[in-house]
Amino acid sequence: MNLDPAIRSYYDRGGEIDRLADGPGRLEFLRTQDVLRRVLPPAPAVVLDVGGGTGVHARWLVDDGYQMRLVDPVPLHVTRAAEIAGVEAVQGDARRLDEPDRRYQATLLLGPLYHLIEREERITALREAARVTAPGGIVVAATISRYAGLYDTLARGRYAEPEVRRLTDLDVSTGIHQPFDRDLFTTAYFHHPDEILTEFADAGMSTPTRYALEGGAWLFGDRHGWLEGGDRTEVLLDALRSVEQEPTLMGISAHLLTVAQMPAA
Ligand SMILES: C[S@@+](CC[C@H](N)C(=O)[O-])C[C@H]1O[C@@H](n2cnc3c(N)ncnc32)[C@H](O)[C@@H]1O
């Protein structure tokens, strides 16, 4: 498996097991769930979760009645996902899916695109997702915003450190995020929000819809009880839903989901 060693060693540390349990990760989880529940075909559709990690989304999708197959290059992730009842998990790569044409009613790429530095590789992954998706089905891809690193290092109080500042400025000017230390993610590509539209188009999927997942709320969502559940969390999710397709707010969101429907047969 041709996975960048820095990416592999980052994920071998097991951080994906509970990354989405609290803080900004909790908001990413809730908003991903919120959008997916509105855009997915009804259960029991067959869903392929490419770069599905430890199965954090596959778990609730099985509970919602979906038939889930998960592909991930990291053995630890595959082992953890395979322990979830109802999830088939195999090792694989988004760029070369060992899956039949038109098999899935939805294909999720919630991770691979932001770990593929070369545009051609991202297009290849999107083409593969389109290939395995049935007519009328959907492809959903997550990207990280070009500006997420800048706001993240500012929010963590680290942007003034000279090397952090140098690498963060490179995120903004090139989109290429180089690993610095354990706190600041691993090798990644941070998309300009408009770039994903042309990548979908170049992979043969026209008129996709973008959803800003966290909006600006990932910078403060863990304050004031917004993520503690109950009515208050519902109010936050309602607020974010109301601006999720506003083009001028795309870049402030840490993550975007882009959704395209395959033409009917
Ligand atoms: C931040 S995790 C996201 C996991 C999960 N999908 C989620 O939304 O929380 C990114 C995932 O992408 C996977 N990944 C990285 N490069 C990949 C590739 N070339 N093909 C498929 N998956 C890849 C990683 O192993 C990891 O599980």
Side-chain angles (χ1 to χ4, degrees), residues 1-4 7-8 10-11 16 19-20 28-29 32 49-57 70-74 77 92-97 108-116 125 142 144 185 255:
M1 197 115 335
N2 182 20
L3 187 63
D4 177 327
I7 297 175
R8 171 70 194 265
Y10 176 85
Y11 286 120
E16 283 305 296
R19 180 179 66 88
L20 302 186
E28 178 190 335
F29 174 83
T32 303
D49 188 1
V50 185
T54 56
V56 64
H57 293 299
L70 182 148
V71 176
D72 200 279
V74 175
H77 292 177
D93 191 305
R95 292 162 287 185
R96 281 175 306 280
L97 292 174
L108 312 179
L109 284 173
L110 308 181
L113 288 196
Y114 53 75
H115 285 309
L116 295 172
I144 297 178
F185 205 33
H255 296 86

Side-chain angles (χ1 to χ4, degrees), residues 32-132:
T32 303
Q33 185 177 54
D34 181 62
V35 174
L36 288 180
R37 280 191 168 142
R38 283 180 281 141
V39 301
L40 283 175
V46 191
V47 177
L48 184 67
D49 188 1
V50 185
T54 56
V56 64
H57 293 299
R59 184 186 297 276
W60 65 262
L61 285 162
V62 164
D63 290 345
D64 279 7
Y66 290 96
Q67 302 171 65
M68 295 301 302
R69 183 168 167 87
L70 182 148
V71 176
D72 200 279
V74 175
L76 169 68
H77 292 177
V78 175
T79 303
R80 294 297 288 234
E83 287 165 359
I84 302 169
V87 175
E88 271 179 24
V90 293
Q91 203 178 357
D93 191 305
R95 292 162 287 185
R96 281 175 306 280
L97 292 174
D98 190 13
E99 303 290 336
D101 293 356
R102 301 172 166 220
R103 166 81 178 88
Y104 297 93
Q105 286 153 285
T107 303
L108 312 179
L109 284 173
L110 308 181
L113 288 196
Y114 53 75
H115 285 309
L116 295 172
I117 305 304
E118 300 297 331
R119 185 175 196 277
E120 266 319 302
E121 298 200 314
R122 298 194 294 275
I123 305 293
T124 300
L126 284 166
R127 283 208 180 105
E128 278 289 86
R131 176 182 68 76
V132 303

Side-chain angles (χ1 to χ4, degrees), residues 134-196:
I138 60 166
V139 171
V140 184
T143 49
I144 297 178
S145 165
R146 175 65 60 93
Y147 311 106
L150 177 63
Y151 283 110
D152 188 41
T153 53
L154 285 168
R156 289 170 190 262
R158 298 198 53 189
Y159 180 71
E161 295 170 35
E163 188 59 2
V164 171
R165 185 171 187 177
R166 188 182 74 77
L167 292 172
T168 302
D169 289 351
L170 281 174
D171 291 353
V172 173
S173 59
T174 68
I176 298 172
H177 176 75
Q178 297 169 32
F180 177 63
D181 64 22
R182 282 175 166 250
D183 283 344
L184 299 177
F185 205 33
T186 178
T187 308
Y189 186 74
F190 293 170
H191 282 74
H192 183 283
D194 293 342
E195 221 176 342
I196 190 63

